[in-house]
Amino acid sequence: MTIFSKIVRGEIPSYKCAENEEFYAFLDINPVAEGHTLVIPKREEDYLFDLSDEELSRMMVFTKQVAKAIKNAFPCQKVGMAVLGLEVNHAHIHLIPLQNEGDMDFRKPKLQLEATAMQEIAKKIWQEYTNIPK
Ligand code: AMP
């Protein structure tokens, strides 16, 4: 089982940002920017582009809702989207609030945020997510 499946099952804690029946969004624990969020299918699948057209389409709609919530919670120029998947073999999309293109640089030192700060960030995104028309 992947570490992200354990998160979905609640066996490992996470900072929840959004959720529906099929998909889950939570803060990346090593954020490149405040509000850096991961979107995953609850169903375990290694590679994003192995998802069926239908599942990937539904995931993109969910991702769009999460991106809107992030932008409302953390005003930014745009929310960037990246797919890496080199570390965790459970399909996921990175969403990152962008002020400039350097904010998407995964090689730069990650932010060190206290648990309380992470909770606050996740709460803000969750609140915005609940207000997004579905
Ligand atoms: P990659 O597979 O290359 O897209 O990287 C996996 C991402 O998942 C990294 O940005 C990690 O910081 C993040 N990550 C790994 N474990 C956790 C976890 N338990 N909770 C939140 N994010 C995680």
Side-chain angles (χ1 to χ4, degrees), residues 4-49:
F4 289 174
S5 287
K6 290 184 180 169
I7 283 176
V8 170
R9 287 162 155 241
E11 293 170 10
I12 290 179
S14 64
Y15 299 100
K16 174 163 115 172
C17 300
E19 180 173 29
N20 69 13
E21 275 176 18
E22 282 188 284
F23 307 107
Y24 187 68
F26 56 105
L27 294 184
D28 193 303
I29 34 159
N30 296 304
V32 297
E34 274 196 21
H36 180 176
T37 300
L38 301 176
V39 177
I40 63 169
K42 292 183 178 177
R43 196 180 70 75
E44 199 169 291
E45 178 77 60
D46 176 357
Y47 185 44
L48 184 76
F49 299 123

